[in-house]
Amino acid sequence: MSKMSSPSSSEIEEKRVTSIIHEVVEVDCSTEQEVTKEDKPKCSKEEMGEVKEENERLKTMLSRVEKDYNSLQLRFFDIVNKDVSMKDIEDSSTNSHEEIDEEPEFVSLCLGRSPNEYKKDAKNIENPNKPKEKEDMEVNLSLGLDSKYMVPMELVSDLSPMNSSEELPKEVEVEEKGAIFSTNKSTKVINVNDEISELLPAKRVRVSVRAKCDTPTMNDGCQWRKYGQKIAKGNPCPRAYYRCTVAPACPVRKQVQRCADDMSILITTYEGTHNHPLQVTASAMAYTTSAAASMMVSGSSTSSSSSHQNQNIHHNNSTSFGNSPTQINGLNFNHHQFEQSRTPKQHFFIPPNHNNLFPTITLDLTSPSSLSSSNIPSNVPRFSPNNLSFCSTQQPNFTPISSIWNNSNNKLGFINNNTNPNIEKTQVRPFNHFQENFYQNQNCMTSYQTPSRQALAETISKAISTDPSLHSVIAAAVSSIVGQGSNNGGKQEENRENGLGAGLNLKLGEYPQMVSNNLLNQNGKGCLKGSYFKRLSPTTSSQAKNFMLLQPSLPFSVSKSSASKPPSIVNNINNFDLDKNKHN
DNA sequence: CGGCTTTGACCAGCGC
DNA sequence: GCGCTGGTCAAAGCCG
């Protein structure tokens, strides 16, 4: 697989475009019944010329789309910056005595750029011909987990969702990672991974991940040791307590509990900050949850003070975000989604620890929307502008990323579930849609009918169905796809080779291949269970049945293998049986 | 034998 | 103060 990453991204793109158009050409030629054998070479030459022209056009289109995207992003940053400045003035007049490092009332996303850089860019917008602009863009426009994420492991040590009292020194890697926050009070740059630790002491945020999972725990790439189990109130399923054992003193804990309403749903709640290097898959999950937690912090700071029910976090941050969907690590946080999410029952979720002590944000990976992939003909290229899609730019209805930015109906959403004013709970429901779209994307790939592509899709399918940890990997991938608007030049190659970067540095127009590489670069590890993409093989469904029967007394006991050996579903089911027999 | 899970006991916070 | 609940501890046992 690593061999596939050797050509440059532009070469890959070019080859792909050429091969696809070749296929189209072949189909066209074969359908022309009047074409004689003598005409074929002529036809081919003409078509080749057309293909080359088309290739050039596509490349031009691609660069134009990238420029549009960059331009839009610059404008966005400019708006954010203005809002921040205005808010600064207001705050300084009313709260002139506040400490600078106080927990900010509002936190705005910079998505990989520091405010200073915004200012530079804002100037560049006024002077669009300034040659340095593009260079700056390439260097700075890194969203989510960019190439810098592949820094030495010492620098990746603080990626976990939230704060804990035991923290690493903060000075280490301020500029080293992708997503950056800025506060409106001091235009202080806050790294999602580091500075969130500074934000959170006052509010211990937890990130809860809801996922359909047959295994007792979700494989998130970390090693966990179970230290307790309790029957919590309101849920017959026991709640298991795990702590991270990758490093001896790692403070990160997680709670795992089945959803009372749907026992196929596993609720994993993370708390704390890893004080050690993380594996690829762990980093992905940690970063994603970190971003969610960051958003929670920014929103909850105001939502908690308001008794207004169902107040939306995005709304809280409207000062910073305007009406555009907000992205953290590639996740869109959109108040429209909140409205949608209120109606279906399944969209409402109370995390396992529903006490008042910890604001909890929920990443909901469950229940793909009604747009079931099985309802979509497999030979139809699928792309919904409302969805995040990995279909390549060759899709006939290709939509530039800028449309995703501006689309208010984007399905990646952020929901604040403040039905109880005393409880700060927030939902993020981006991944179910992502799953759906990833599935669609597989069809996009297979629809090209290129054998290698098909094989690739099958390989991905297998990887996905064998290891549920792909949840986190894909989460990172999707975030980078949304966030990564500009290329990183040569770093991309390097990142692809390293695996993590591959998942985190996707270039516009390379989505299918890059995604494939990402998934397969995770050593075959994955998290999206087969049911999402393969709609459950007969064996899995029967396993699910067994699992449901055993569920109420199930111990969550495979954390040991979570990092090194992804648990086989069958083995786990057997373990469950053994355990049950043992208890009997 | 080391590392892990299990499980009852214990502790702290909160509401009444 | 008391009871409830969530969270943690630690001894015992299991497993590779």
Side-chain angles (χ1 to χ4, degrees):
Chain A
M1 255 344 254
S2 60
K3 292 283 179 187
M4 293 184 63
S5 60
S6 52
S8 73
S9 56
S10 58
E11 287 170 346
I12 292 173
E13 181 65 21
E14 191 173 346
K15 284 178 185 174
R16 193 156 54 98
V17 169
T18 311
S19 69
I20 292 163
I21 296 175
H22 274 171
E23 291 170 20
V24 174
V25 167
E26 283 171 15
V27 170
D28 287 343
C29 288
S30 62
T31 52
E32 286 181 22
Q33 296 176 354
E34 306 300 326
V35 176
T36 63
K37 285 183 180 178
E38 295 81 37
D39 292 339
K40 276 186 180 174
K42 191 180 175 183
C43 168
S44 297
K45 283 182 182 176
E46 288 175 359
E47 295 295 344
M48 277 296 290
E50 289 177 12
V51 163
K52 283 179 182 172
E53 287 178 15
E54 181 68 14
N55 196 3
E56 290 302 317
R57 276 204 302 272
L58 288 169
K59 279 197 280 189
T60 311
M61 192 188 304
L62 178 61
S63 60
R64 201 181 309 145
V65 165
E66 284 182 334
K67 281 179 187 173
D68 287 348
Y69 173 73
N70 292 339
S71 167
L72 275 168
Q73 204 159 34
L74 285 174
R75 287 166 59 185
F76 170 75
F77 290 144
D78 191 43
I79 291 166
V80 168
N81 203 35
K82 281 178 184 173
D83 286 337
V84 165
S85 304
M86 290 185 67
K87 190 70 187 171
D88 276 346
I89 296 169
E90 289 174 17
D91 286 345
S92 60
S93 63
T94 56
N95 301 319
S96 55
H97 300 300
E98 288 185 19
E99 297 285 338
I100 257 181
D101 57 352
E102 189 178 353
E103 179 181 331
E105 284 278 318
F106 300 93
V107 178
S108 62
L109 275 178
C110 300
L111 291 173
R113 316 186 79 192
S114 72
N116 290 338
E117 288 162 349
Y118 307 160
K119 287 171 185 171
K120 271 192 238 166
D121 291 333
K123 288 176 184 172
N124 286 341
I125 289 178
E126 292 166 8
N127 305 301
N129 296 329
K130 200 173 180 179
K132 199 171 178 290
E133 180 185 2
K134 192 177 179 184
E135 186 183 325
D136 286 346
M137 293 293 298
E138 289 181 0
V139 172
N140 297 325
L141 250 183
S142 50
L143 306 177
L145 296 167
D146 68 353
S147 61
K148 292 176 180 178
Y149 196 67
M150 278 305 295
V151 293
M153 285 306 281
E154 308 87 55
L155 301 180
V156 196
S157 59
D158 211 12
L159 298 172
S160 86
M162 291 131 302
N163 164 65
S164 75
S165 51
E166 305 98 323
E167 292 171 15
L168 289 182
K170 311 281 190 315
E171 309 83 48
V172 188
E173 70 263 52
V174 171
E175 295 293 337
E176 287 297 323
K177 294 175 209 144
I180 295 172
F181 283 73
S182 72
T183 71
N184 60 338
K185 287 190 176 177
S186 58
T187 59
K188 170 181 159 188
V189 176
I190 300 175
N191 188 286
V192 164
N193 308 307
D194 304 321
E195 302 297 332
I196 190 170
S197 301
E198 287 182 12
L199 292 174
L200 296 180
K203 293 175 178 291
R204 285 180 64 189
V205 180
R206 288 174 172 172
V207 175
S208 186
V209 178
R210 262 166 71 91
K212 291 222 173 198
C213 192
D214 288 342
T215 55
T217 62
M218 222 170 71
N219 184 1
D220 46 23
C222 272
Q223 276 184 317
W224 302 95
R225 176 181 177 149
K226 191 176 182 179
Y227 66 89
Q229 180 169 315
K230 274 279 204 186
I231 298 286
K233 189 182 174 185
N235 193 337
C237 304
R239 177 186 305 161
Y241 299 91
Y242 295 88
R243 66 166 54 106
C244 178
T245 59
V246 175
C250 181
V252 174
R253 313 255 161 119
K254 78 170 179 181
Q255 301 174 5
V256 179
Q257 188 174 30
R258 292 277 159 189
C259 179
D261 293 334
D262 183 355
M263 291 190 184
S264 65
I265 295 174
L266 195 67
I267 302 163
T268 308
T269 305
Y270 296 90
E271 180 187 338
T273 303
H274 291 285
N275 60 2
H276 54 81
L278 291 170
Q279 289 191 349
V280 171
T281 50
S283 301
M285 176 59 90
Y287 189 90
T288 305
T289 51
S290 168
S294 308
M295 195 59 187
M296 178 66 190
V297 169
S298 66
S300 62
S301 58
T302 49
S303 64
S304 60
S305 61
S306 166
S307 61
H308 202 275
Q309 286 194 356
N310 299 328
Q311 188 174 6
N312 183 277
I313 280 188
H314 176 273
H315 184 71
N316 293 336
N317 290 301
S318 57
T319 325
S320 303
F321 299 118
N323 292 322
S324 301
T326 304
Q327 298 190 5
I328 296 179
N329 192 18
L331 310 181
N332 281 350
F333 300 92
N334 188 329
H335 64 281
H336 297 282
Q337 177 63 32
F338 169 63
E339 295 300 329
Q340 292 168 6
S341 69
R342 290 173 58 187
T343 37
K345 181 195 167 198
Q346 62 180 8
H347 288 180
F348 181 78
F349 165 65
I350 299 177
N353 48 325
H354 48 284
N355 58 47
N356 297 351
L357 299 177
F358 312 111
T360 303
I361 191 166
T362 301
L363 298 169
D364 196 335
L365 313 182
T366 62
S367 64
S369 73
S370 55
L371 182 63
S372 168
S373 58
S374 59
N375 298 332
I376 304 170
S378 61
N379 58 342
V380 175
R382 301 169 192 180
F383 186 95
S384 164
N386 294 344
N387 289 325
L388 187 62
S389 175
F390 305 103
C391 293
S392 76
T393 55
Q394 282 74 42
Q395 289 301 310
N397 46 355
F398 167 72
T399 305
I401 278 208
S402 54
S403 73
I404 296 175
W405 267 76
N406 293 325
N407 196 317
S408 61
N409 291 321
N410 195 312
K411 284 194 174 183
L412 302 183
F414 190 127
I415 312 106
N416 186 8
N417 234 346
N418 274 339
T419 53
N420 181 350
N422 296 325
I423 304 174
E424 293 177 17
K425 294 190 192 318
T426 306
Q427 270 194 332
V428 179
R429 300 180 41 81
F431 298 139
N432 53 335
H433 302 294
F434 162 70
Q435 291 160 3
E436 173 187 314
N437 285 300
F438 182 81
Y439 187 67
Q440 293 174 16
N441 184 52
Q442 287 194 47
N443 285 284
C444 288
M445 293 189 284
T446 53
S447 68
Y448 292 143
Q449 302 295 321
T450 307
S452 61
R453 215 175 288 266
Q454 208 163 3
L456 202 56
E458 286 174 10
T459 314
I460 296 166
S461 239
K462 282 180 188 171
I464 287 164
S465 56
T466 51
D467 193 336
S469 73
L470 272 179
H471 271 304
S472 56
V473 178
I474 291 173
V478 65
S479 43
S480 60
I481 286 163
V482 175
Q484 193 71 28
S486 66
N487 71 57
N488 289 323
K491 283 183 179 178
Q492 213 166 17
E493 292 306 307
E494 177 187 335
N495 296 331
R496 236 179 290 173
E497 303 236 343
N498 287 334
L500 170 61
L504 310 172
N505 291 279
L506 300 186
K507 185 179 172 183
L508 188 62
E510 295 182 337
Y511 298 158
Q513 288 160 329
M514 295 300 289
V515 168
S516 335
N517 285 344
N518 295 342
L519 302 179
L520 298 175
N521 273 340
Q522 312 301 324
N523 298 323
K525 284 188 177 185
C527 187
L528 286 175
K529 59 175 257 196
S531 57
Y532 286 118
F533 298 110
K534 304 183 94 174
R535 299 298 162 195
L536 274 176
S537 66
T539 49
T540 3
S541 51
S542 65
Q543 287 159 1
K545 212 185 295 176
N546 292 337
F547 181 73
M548 293 294 283
L549 290 173
L550 296 171
Q551 179 51 47
S553 60
L554 274 184
F556 303 100
S557 59
V558 292
S559 61
K560 181 181 179 179
S561 58
S562 61
S564 52
K565 286 179 280 183
S568 134
I569 291 176
V570 175
N571 286 342
N572 287 329
I573 297 296
N574 291 339
N575 288 339
F576 299 158
D577 287 328
L578 287 174
D579 285 340
K580 191 177 173 67
N581 292 336
K582 194 170 59 185
H583 289 307
N584 290 339

